[in-house]
Structure formats: C-alpha cells, structure tokens
Amino acid sequence: EVQLVESGGDLVQPGGSLRLSCAASGFTFSSYSMSWVRQAPGKGLEWVSGILSSGRSTYYAESVKGRFTISRDNAKNTLYLQMNSLKTEDTAVYYCATYYSGALVTDPSQLLRGQGTQVTVSS
C-alpha cells in the first residue's frame, strides 16, 4: 500500500523559505516519478512540480518556476520541495503525490496523495 507522509509546513513571511519533505513507503520509491501538488483555500488541486525516478529530470508549473526546487533521495525514500521567495498566493496545503504505475502524470486528480502539510505565507 502506498504511504506518503508530508512534513515541513509552517507559517512564513512573504519572501521567506521553507523545505517540505515526504517520506514514502509501501512501494519501490526509486522506480516511481513523484510530484508535489497543492490546494489553496477555496480552489482546486494544482500540480506544482514533478521529478523522474532517477532524479535527473525535473518539471515545474509556471507559477513556481525559478522559486521552487524539487529533489529526491532514493536511498532514504524521501522527496523534497525547497520553496524560496514565497508569496501569499503560495498559501495552500501541499501534497506529495505519485501515479499508480510510476509514470509522471501532471493531472493532480489522477494522483495518489498523502495527507498534506499546511503552508501559510503571511505577514
């Protein structure tokens, strides 16, 4: 059974930074592409970033490109999201996610997700 546990969410001021982590278990993490998705208050799911199983290729939504960095440690079964230059519009619950086959899928409604971690950007 796929288990994804996110951590690292917090309240941060605009312009600040946060690093999210996701501990994965129940599947062969090193063989699966992974993503981060988010859901802002009153809005739908938004795909934020993805990374291939090897970690060599990464992809970003235009809204976060140049500010967020996705990475993974396959030895630790852990996915990361480094978020810099945070904006109030980044406020959301952030989810670690994957597709059942391990493919990189950017439609967030099709992804298996964890419980999420809250990121609030406010002064």
Side-chain angles (χ1 to χ4, degrees), residues 53-76:
S53 57
S54 66
R56 283 197 285 260
S57 295
T58 58
Y59 307 88
Y60 298 93
E62 284 299 321
S63 58
V64 306
K65 197 173 291 184
R67 300 187 298 120
F68 290 11
T69 302
I70 190 172
S71 62
R72 64 191 297 161
D73 185 336
N74 286 343
K76 295 182 178 180

Side-chain angles (χ1 to χ4, degrees), residues 5 31 33 42 111 121-122:
V5 179
S31 297
S33 296
L111 299 177
V121 185
S122 174

Side-chain angles (χ1 to χ4, degrees), residues 26-98:
F27 64 106
T28 307
F29 180 76
S30 60
S31 297
Y32 278 62
S33 296
M34 298 295 298
S35 290
W36 287 97
V37 302
R38 67 185 180 184
Q39 187 165 28
K43 297 189 176 181
L45 288 169
E46 177 189 15
W47 180 85
V48 172
S49 181
I51 186 168
L52 297 186
S53 57
S54 66
R56 283 197 285 260
S57 295
T58 58
Y59 307 88
Y60 298 93
E62 284 299 321
S63 58
V64 306
K65 197 173 291 184
R67 300 187 298 120
F68 290 11
T69 302
I70 190 172
S71 62
R72 64 191 297 161
D73 185 336
N74 286 343
K76 295 182 178 180
N77 286 359
T78 302
L79 179 72
Y80 303 100
L81 185 67
Q82 177 67 44
M83 305 187 294
N84 298 330
S85 302
L86 282 161
K87 305 175 181 180
T88 55
E89 52 263 44
D90 294 318
T91 295
V93 177
Y94 284 73
Y95 300 92
C96 173
T98 192

